[in-house]
């Protein structure tokens, strides 16, 4: 099914400050929800590659237009709505990361599997693949990559991966664990204290790095399920944003952002239970931050939605951690 996002094309109509101040207090960065793109698609990544905006999609086996009989990964060219050829058949919970002229995708061998597979391509058609983590004691779910530019230690890459086990490291499922690499090929686990967080449900999804801080966008239970953000300099000690949550469920989730949705699909959207905003990911494109996320009942009825922020990723990250005047 071709999906063309009209909301992306119309984003220039939204004119508002990236960060406002009311009564001397910082207000959270204003994220504008554009509505639903599709049904039964959840884990997606907006990403810029060769100066074009794409949306990486993990196509589940139960996705109705999926006629392959198995899960797989693909990219959607947001400007045209055209999909790339599918790849990574049988893999799950993918996430995309572009570095230089290469696109990297990580995914797991199973829901709660113990292997993380990496796929790489320079054309989104032909893919090389290798196993980058093989951890028999672990149950692994979502992954997210970021690049760390560090003059002292040298540039490196950090992978955040979601674990449900072992219990001594996961605590309350689900928990962020980390690995790092100098070349995206050889990965090593960080020390066991590099987690967030073992005391409650804190399902991680999106990792970013800026000016010495790692930013973890994760899912927490609070009047449903909502996206929050914490940051850390060492992956051990974490600081929550004073402006959390980042996203929480609202009527705007049910707006229609994809004009190709059928009357039947629109009726399903209108009547669906909504108590969740999760699986947030984002990238910067033409001066704006493009966001995808999911909403639904957190019990299997799920929808893919889009949003945007009228500013850079840098200003979005900094905006959730405003400087406090002494």
């Amino acid at each position: 099914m071709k999906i063309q996002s009209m909301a992306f094309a119309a984003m220039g109509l939204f004119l508002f400050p990236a960060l406002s101040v009311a009564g001397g207090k910082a207000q959270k960065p204003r994220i504008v929800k554009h509505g639903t793109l599709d049904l039964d698609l959840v884990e997606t990544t907006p990403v810029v590659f060769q100066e074009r905006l794409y949306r990486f999609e993990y196509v589940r086996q139960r996705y109705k237009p999926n006629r392959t009989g198995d899960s797989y990964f693909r990219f959607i060219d947001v400007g045209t709505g055209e999909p790339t050829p599918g790849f990574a058949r049988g893999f799950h919970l993918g996430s995309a990361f572009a570095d230089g002229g290469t696109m990297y995708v990580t995914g797991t061998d199973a829901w709660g599997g113990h292997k993380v597979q990496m796929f790489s391509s320079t054309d989104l058609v032909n893919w090389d693949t290798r196993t980058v983590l093989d951890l028999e004691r672990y149950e692994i779910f979502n992954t997210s990559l970021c690049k760390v530019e560090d003059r002292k230690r040298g540039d490196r890459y950090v992978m955040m991966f979601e674990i449900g086990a072992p219990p001594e490291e996961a605590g309350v499922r689900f928990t962020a664990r980390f690995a790092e690499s100098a070349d995206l090929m050889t990965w090593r686990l960080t020390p066991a204290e590099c987690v967030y967080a073992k005391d409650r449900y804190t399902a991680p999804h999106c990792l970013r790095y800026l000016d010495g801080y790692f930013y973890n966008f994760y899912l927490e239970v609070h009047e449903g399920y909502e996206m929050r953000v914490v940051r850390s300099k060492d992956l051990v000690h974490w600081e929550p944003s004073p402006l959390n949550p980042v996203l929480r469920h609202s009527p705007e989730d049910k707006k229609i952002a994809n004009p190709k949705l059928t009357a039947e699909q629109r009726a399903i959207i209108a009547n669906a239970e909504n108590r969740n905003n999760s699986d947030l990911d984002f990238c910067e494109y033409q001066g704006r931050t493009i966001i995808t996320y999911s909403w639904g009942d957190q019990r299997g009825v799920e929808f893919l939605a889009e949003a945007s922020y009228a500013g850079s990723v840098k200003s979005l990250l900094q905006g959730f951690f405003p400087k406090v005047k002494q």
Side-chain angles (χ1 to χ4, degrees):
M1 185 171 82
K2 297 179 181 178
I3 304 171
Q4 186 166 3
S5 168
M6 299 300 291
F8 283 149
M11 282 192 294
L13 298 177
F14 293 93
L15 301 175
F16 49 82
L19 181 64
S20 61
V21 177
K25 295 183 179 180
Q27 302 298 303
K28 72 173 62 179
R30 186 182 177 193
I31 294 173
V32 175
K33 293 181 174 181
H34 304 306
T36 300
L37 288 172
D38 208 345
L39 291 70
D40 297 319
L41 277 175
V42 182
E43 285 83 9
T44 66
T45 311
V47 62
V48 177
F49 185 62
Q50 298 177 351
E51 299 184 351
R52 295 192 65 83
L53 177 63
Y54 289 90
R55 183 174 61 254
F56 165 81
E57 295 182 344
Y58 159 43
V59 181
R60 297 184 182 185
Q61 186 175 5
R62 70 170 183 261
Y63 180 60
K64 285 187 178 180
N66 182 2
R67 307 296 184 214
T68 70
D70 210 342
S71 59
Y72 66 93
F73 299 158
R74 70 180 181 186
F75 288 82
I76 300 293
D77 185 320
V78 173
T80 66
E82 293 290 336
T84 63
F87 65 100
R89 183 166 179 167
F91 285 87
H92 302 271
L93 299 165
S95 176
F97 170 74
D99 187 48
T102 303
M103 181 71 77
Y104 299 91
V105 172
T106 49
T108 60
D109 59 330
W111 275 75
H114 61 85
K115 293 181 180 180
V116 174
Q117 194 79 1
M118 177 173 284
F119 303 84
S120 60
S121 175
T122 58
D123 60 9
L124 305 186
V125 176
N126 301 290
W127 294 88
D128 295 324
T129 185
R130 60 187 177 275
T131 300
V132 293
L133 289 180
D134 188 349
L135 306 170
E136 291 189 0
R137 295 190 306 122
Y138 289 74
E139 292 178 355
I140 304 175
F141 299 88
N142 285 296
T143 58
S144 182
L145 290 179
C146 72
K147 186 175 184 177
V148 177
E149 296 180 351
D150 189 332
R151 293 181 180 178
K152 294 182 179 180
R153 292 185 54 188
D155 293 352
R156 66 190 191 279
Y157 302 87
V158 174
M159 180 194 304
M160 178 172 70
F161 58 99
E162 178 184 22
I163 63 172
E168 64 270 20
E169 294 189 23
V172 178
R173 306 168 90 219
F174 297 92
T175 302
R177 192 72 168 81
F178 301 90
E180 64 178 17
S181 172
D183 57 7
L184 287 168
M185 297 183 66
T186 302
W187 291 82
R188 69 171 187 86
L189 282 177
T190 57
E193 60 265 28
C194 297
V195 294
Y196 189 83
K198 297 167 68 173
D199 63 329
R200 66 195 190 283
Y201 182 104
T202 54
H205 192 77
C206 177
L207 182 69
R208 294 293 185 270
Y209 179 85
L210 175 68
D211 295 339
Y213 285 98
F214 292 94
Y215 293 78
N216 169 17
F217 290 82
Y218 71 96
L219 187 65
E220 184 150 343
V221 181
H222 179 76
E223 298 178 2
Y225 294 80
E226 62 188 24
M227 292 300 306
R228 298 189 176 195
V229 61
V230 291
R231 71 177 183 178
S232 173
K233 289 186 175 182
D234 58 9
L235 301 177
V236 177
H237 305 93
W238 295 89
E239 171 192 3
S241 168
L243 302 177
N244 277 324
V246 177
L247 280 183
R248 74 182 319 272
H249 61 87
S250 68
E252 289 78 16
D253 299 325
K254 294 189 176 187
K255 294 191 297 185
I256 302 300
N258 176 12
K260 295 184 180 293
L261 293 178
T262 67
E264 179 183 3
Q265 289 172 318
R266 293 173 189 235
I268 293 172
I269 291 167
N271 294 318
E273 179 187 0
N274 186 17
R275 64 190 190 111
N276 169 64
N277 273 185
S278 63
D279 301 290
L280 174 147
D281 216 324
F282 54 85
C283 73
E284 186 174 327
Y285 183 66
Q286 297 183 345
R288 293 177 177 270
T289 300
I290 310 303
I291 299 167
T292 57
Y293 68 98
S294 82
W295 66 271
D297 64 6
Q298 194 64 11
R299 294 187 293 268
V301 179
E302 300 162 313
F303 304 84
L304 174 65
E306 67 177 4
S308 68
Y309 164 73
S312 66
V313 166
K314 180 177 181 178
S315 65
L316 176 69
L317 298 178
Q318 292 177 337
F320 275 102
F321 292 86
K323 294 181 179 179
V324 178
K325 292 183 179 180
Q326 301 296 327

